[in-house]
Amino acid sequence: MSDLFDAVDALLARPDVMPPPEVRARLRKADGLRQDEVAAVFGVTRVAFHRWETGAAKPRRRHLEAYVRLLNGWAEKHPEAAHGPQQVHEAGEKH
């Protein structure tokens, strides 16, 4: 069973997997940052960063791992933003 868990952990640790675009923006906003502020850290234009965030473009290798690291850090810091609004089921129960 440990081999299976190791394989799952390897999948979870992939450095190039980003959350969906709508989650990326939500995470950034939860941290109170504007696109131009994050773009400046990466040394790219706001337009280039906007394309990453919306999924219109993927960061190049030198930025990809750092951007995924940032997204993962925000997700840990703001779990509510990472998972989005809770869904309400018929019985009114939140999940």
Side-chain angles (χ1 to χ4, degrees):
M1 189 64 124
S2 145
D3 290 342
L4 178 57
F5 287 158
D6 290 344
V8 168
D9 289 343
L11 288 175
L12 290 172
R14 287 182 48 204
D16 61 345
V17 177
M18 291 186 281
E22 63 275 6
V23 173
R24 298 174 207 170
R26 209 168 39 234
L27 289 169
R28 175 185 51 79
K29 291 174 184 176
D31 214 51
L33 293 167
R34 298 183 319 265
Q35 287 181 337
D36 61 321
E37 293 173 308
V38 180
V41 169
F42 282 94
V44 300
T45 65
R46 189 207 57 81
V47 172
F49 179 77
H50 172 77
R51 292 175 54 80
W52 298 355
E53 192 171 77
T54 61
K58 188 174 179 179
R60 295 189 181 186
R61 175 62 53 195
R62 68 189 199 108
H63 290 122
L64 182 60
E65 288 186 29
Y67 185 42
V68 170
R69 181 180 175 131
L70 177 62
L71 290 167
N72 287 337
W74 282 338
E76 287 180 22
K77 192 174 175 183
H78 308 287
E80 71 289 349
H83 300 293
Q86 292 182 335
Q87 296 177 355
V88 178
H89 294 274
E90 288 181 35
E93 181 179 326
K94 290 184 179 183
H95 288 276

